[in-house]
Amino acid sequence: MAHRHLGRAACAALTALGALVLTGLPGAAAVEPPAPAPAPSSAETLGADRPSATVLRALQRDLRLTGAQAKARLVNEAEAGTRAGRLQNVLGKRFAGAWVHGTTSADLTVATTDAADVSAITAGGAKAAVVKNAMGDLEAAKAKLDATAGRALDTPVRYVDVRTNRVTVQATSSAAADTLVATAGIDRGLVDVKVSEDRPRPLYDVRGGDAYYIDEQARCSVGFSVTKGDQQGFASAGHCGKAGARTTGFNKIAQGTFQASVFPGQDMSWVGVNSEWTATSAVKGEGDLNVQVAGSVQALVGAAVCRSGSTTGWHCGTIEQHNTSVSYAEGVIDGVTRTTVCAEPGDSGGSYISGTQAQGVTSGGSGDCKSGGVTFYQPVNPLLSAFGLTLRTAPAQSGMPAPEDARTSGWAAGQVYAVGARVTYDGVTYQCVQAHQAQGVWQPRLTPALWQRL
C-alpha cells in the first residue's frame, strides 16, 4: 500500500527492480543468500571415503575383496553406523542389536522385539529382524553368567550374539556349559553353547603396532598414541605391565613408565613417554607404511577391522561381537570385542583400526596367524574415558573444517559419548548416534554422522 504515496517514476523503478530480483538477472542484483553447504556424509566425516592404500591392500588379502569392494565396504560401514545409531535411539528398550553383512557390507539389519517397528526400521534404511529377546535382557543374562563363571577356564568366553539373538557360551564341553547356565539360573533357551578346546590367553610376548619392552623382560605392542594434558604417551593392554613399570622402545632406548594399568576386570593401560619420544597419529601398517587415525567411532558387528602387532604385523578380519567376557588364568576380562583377526604372543596391546577409526588394543586370543585364530580387543573408548586420555588424531583425515567457537553444554572435545547421550550445542539439543571420543572438528552441528538434532 506504500506505493500509493510514491510518484509514477518511482513505482516503475520498484517494479523493474522486482523483476530483476525475481528473475535473478543480473547477478549483482540478486539478494538471495547462498544455499548452505550440504552436511558431510558419514563416510566423509569419518574419513572412510579416503582409506589408505595399506588398509585397502590388507582388506583385499584377508577378506578376499577386490579394490573396489574394499572401498565400498568401508563407505557402507560408515553410513550404516549412523543409521543404526539413529534407529537404536528410536527403538529404546525394544532394540535388540544391529549388524552389517554382505561382501561390501551393503546390508544393515536392525533387530527389534516389536513387529510394529518394522516400518520405522525400513524407513530408516535397514532391514528389520523381529526377535524374542531385547538387548537389555540378553546383557542381563550374560552378566549373571559372568558373575558365576569367574576364572573358570572350562567356560572361558561369553558374549551376546546379536545375529542369533542369544548369549553364547564357549566351553571345553557341553557339560561345563550346562553347569554354568544352571548355576547362574539362566533360562537355557537364551543360551547357545559352542564347544571348543581353545583357551584364550593374554598375548604377552611405540607408532601403533611397534614393539616396546617392559622392565627389560616382556615385550608388547603399542596401541594408540594419547595425551593427558602436556604428557604424551600411548595406550596398551593392562596385562603388559603394572603402574610404575618402566619401558624401552622398539630400539631399546628408554621410553617411559606405566601411568595406570587395570588387569584383570578389564585389560587397559597407558604409558607416559619421556621427552625423547613424540606421540603421533600413525599406526604401523603393512610394509612399514603408516595408517593415520582420525577418531574412535565404534564400528558395528560384521564390520572389517585390521590389527597391527610387533610379532605378526598387519592382519585384518571382522568384528564378531562386542561386550564379550573372557576368563583367563589370571582372571575375568569384561567388555572386550571378539574378532576373526589372528594374533600371536607379543602382539598384545597392539592397535585395532576400522578404516581410519581406532577400535581397541589387543588383549588375547587363541590360534595363530598360520592356521587362523580368534582374538579379543579392549575397546579404546572406555580406556580413554577411564584414564582421562585424548586420542592423538590426524585432523586432515576427518574431512572436517576447523572448529569454531560456540555455546555448549555437555559437549566437549575429548569427552567420550555413548549412543543416546544428549548434549546442547549453540542452543540446540543433539543425541549421539555412534559411540566415539569427540574431536575438536566433530562439533554436533557439523557431524550428522555422529549427532542427531532433536
Side-chain angles (χ1 to χ4, degrees):
M1 299 298 296
H3 287 187
R4 169 178 313 177
H5 302 287
L6 296 175
R8 185 173 300 172
C11 287
L14 283 173
T15 301
L17 178 59
L20 289 174
V21 171
L22 290 172
T23 59
L25 296 172
V31 296
E32 292 287 337
S41 67
S42 298
E44 291 169 335
T45 297
L46 307 185
D49 60 331
R50 301 175 307 284
S52 72
T54 301
V55 169
L56 291 175
R57 282 196 297 270
L59 290 176
Q60 292 175 66
R61 179 196 66 199
D62 294 342
L63 297 183
R64 298 180 180 179
L65 304 175
T66 66
Q69 288 173 332
K71 290 180 179 179
R73 181 163 185 153
L74 293 174
V75 169
N76 288 339
E77 289 171 358
E79 300 296 339
T82 297
R83 297 199 303 273
R86 289 175 179 266
L87 287 168
Q88 180 177 345
N89 286 333
V90 169
L91 298 179
K93 292 182 178 180
R94 303 186 303 279
F95 176 74
W99 61 96
V100 291
H101 45 102
T103 301
T104 61
S105 294
D107 297 317
L108 167 66
T109 296
V110 173
T112 178
T113 57
D114 191 341
D117 293 325
V118 170
S119 58
I121 293 172
T122 302
K127 296 181 178 180
V130 180
V131 298
K132 180 179 180 181
N133 306 303
M135 179 64 72
D137 295 333
L138 294 173
E139 290 178 340
K142 175 183 169 294
K144 291 182 179 179
L145 292 169
D146 292 343
T148 304
R151 298 190 181 188
L153 298 183
D154 54 356
T155 54
V157 180
R158 300 149 315 270
Y159 53 82
V160 173
D161 190 336
V162 294
R163 287 169 286 201
T164 64
N165 195 231
R166 296 287 191 278
V167 180
T168 296
V169 174
Q170 178 182 314
T172 55
S173 68
S174 294
D178 290 340
T179 298
L180 173 63
V181 172
T183 304
I186 301 301
D187 179 357
R188 186 62 175 79
L190 291 175
V191 179
D192 286 337
V193 175
K194 179 181 178 181
V195 176
S196 173
E197 291 299 322
D198 288 345
R199 295 180 183 269
R201 78 284 186 194
L203 297 174
Y204 291 101
D205 311 300
V206 172
R207 185 178 56 173
D210 274 342
Y212 71 97
Y213 301 86
I214 304 94
D215 290 336
E216 299 182 354
Q217 296 177 350
R219 171 172 59 86
C220 276
S221 301
V222 173
F224 298 97
S225 291
V226 297
T227 58
K228 187 170 186 177
D230 294 332
Q231 176 66 62
Q232 299 186 67
F234 60 87
S236 192
H239 73 262
C240 288
K242 296 181 179 180
R246 297 188 177 279
T247 69
T248 54
F250 65 92
N251 51 9
K252 299 299 183 71
I253 301 298
Q255 181 189 62
T257 304
F258 278 84
Q259 304 297 302
S261 179
V262 178
F263 179 80
Q266 293 177 299
D267 198 357
M268 57 174 68
S269 66
W270 81 283
V271 173
V273 298
N274 61 41
S275 60
E276 295 185 13
W277 295 80
T278 300
T280 73
S281 59
V283 169
K284 182 180 180 180
E286 188 173 13
D288 205 36
L289 297 176
N290 288 338
V291 175
Q292 298 298 324
V293 176
S296 61
V297 175
Q298 180 177 292
L300 291 172
V301 167
V305 67
C306 298
R307 178 197 55 74
S308 183
S310 60
T311 298
T312 59
W314 183 254
H315 290 274
C316 298
T318 59
I319 294 172
E320 294 294 286
Q321 290 87 23
H322 294 301
N323 195 25
T324 300
S325 295
V326 181
S327 294
Y328 296 141
E330 297 84 347
V332 179
I333 309 299
D334 293 317
V336 293
T337 295
R338 180 175 179 267
T339 80
T340 64
V341 187
C342 69
E344 296 179 11
D347 287 328
S348 279
S351 328
Y352 279 77
I353 187 168
S354 182
T356 62
Q357 301 298 307
Q359 298 299 309
V361 297
T362 305
S363 175
S366 55
D368 56 39
C369 288
K370 298 180 179 65
S371 59
V374 171
T375 52
F376 307 91
Y377 65 76
Q378 163 68 54
V380 70
N381 283 325
L383 185 158
L384 296 171
S385 183
F387 298 142
L389 304 173
T390 299
L391 184 68
R392 179 59 63 89
T393 61
Q397 294 294 311
S398 70
M400 297 298 299
E404 301 171 3
D405 292 335
R407 300 184 304 278
T408 67
S409 174
W411 183 88
Q415 179 71 36
V416 173
Y417 295 100
V419 175
R422 294 190 179 192
V423 300
T424 299
Y425 181 89
D426 208 12
V428 178
T429 300
Y430 297 85
Q431 188 170 30
C432 180
V433 297
Q434 295 197 76
H436 66 285
Q437 182 179 55
Q439 306 295 317
V441 294
W442 283 355
Q443 300 166 7
R445 68 180 178 81
L446 299 176
T447 51
L450 304 176
W451 295 98
Q452 181 178 14
R453 179 171 177 162
L454 298 180

